Amino acid sequence: MRTKKVVRRFLAMVIVMTLMLTTSMTVFAATGNRTYKASSKMTIVLNPGQRGDSNTVSIRVSGLPEDAIITKLTVNTGTMSYSGAVVCNSLTISSSNGRTEQIGWTGQANKTLTTSKFLASAANGTYTISFNATNMSSLNLGTKSYQPSITIYWDDEF
């Protein structure tokens, strides 16, 4: 009689363990997106025929979960002010984790540019943005300014 009790308890324990191992576990990762605007403008002033880089603006990304990783990062070039015939060539974005990407861009205002080199990197940190342009005029000084922002799409790493 005692042996039957032991066997029943053992079988019950095996069944419970089997159910625990075969039951799928669902893990919910926190996801989201957030936009951060630069506190200053990217600006360039070029002499006739000159090519160069704008000043660099910084955007501090904080407040996301500590283990948030980037699933997508976009740059919106923001509003534009200009004078002269300045044509943009590219936009460069870098992060404090050492990644940099140069994106071809002809200078449209409020243009959303999608990056690819920041995927699976830490989301929190400092990002810097600048642009390269050429003054197409052979006579007049040219200027161009933008107020950029970035949008970070992220998931919690688990």
Side-chain angles (χ1 to χ4, degrees):
M1 196 66 148
R2 178 138 172 88
T3 308
K4 281 186 176 182
K5 264 187 174 180
V6 170
V7 169
R8 281 186 188 157
R9 284 185 182 166
F10 178 75
L11 287 175
M13 204 167 40
V14 168
I15 291 170
V16 168
M17 294 286 282
T18 303
L19 288 173
M20 286 175 55
L21 293 173
T22 59
T23 303
S24 64
M25 293 178 61
T26 304
V27 176
F28 295 99
T31 62
N33 65 69
R34 189 165 171 193
T35 300
Y36 297 84
K37 191 172 185 177
S39 59
S40 59
K41 290 184 177 184
M42 299 183 295
T43 302
I44 194 165
V45 178
L46 295 170
N47 289 319
Q50 186 182 19
R51 179 182 178 139
D53 294 319
S54 72
N55 66 306
T56 301
V57 297
S58 293
I59 299 175
R60 176 92 176 115
V61 172
S62 61
L64 300 179
E66 188 177 308
D67 54 357
I69 57 169
I70 295 173
T71 57
K72 181 179 175 182
L73 188 147
T74 61
V75 178
N76 185 293
T77 57
T79 58
M80 172 182 57
S81 59
Y82 68 96
S83 69
V86 176
V87 175
C88 294
N89 304 309
S90 62
L91 180 133
T92 301
I93 180 168
S94 299
S95 69
S96 55
N97 68 15
R99 296 189 185 197
T100 298
E101 184 168 2
Q102 188 175 61
I103 304 166
W105 169 56
T106 56
Q108 304 92 324
N110 294 309
K111 174 78 173 172
T112 299
L113 306 169
T114 302
T115 67
S116 61
K117 294 190 178 176
F118 295 89
L119 299 176
S121 65
N124 289 307
T126 301
Y127 296 80
T128 57
I129 305 171
S130 63
F131 68 94
N132 180 277
T134 304
N135 185 350
M136 302 305 285
S137 173
S138 58
L139 302 172
N140 299 317
L141 188 69
T143 65
K144 212 166 215 183
S145 293
Y146 296 90
Q147 182 77 49
S149 63
I150 63 172
T151 301
I152 305 268
Y153 298 81
W154 55 273
D155 279 332
D156 265 359
E157 189 175 65
F158 54 89

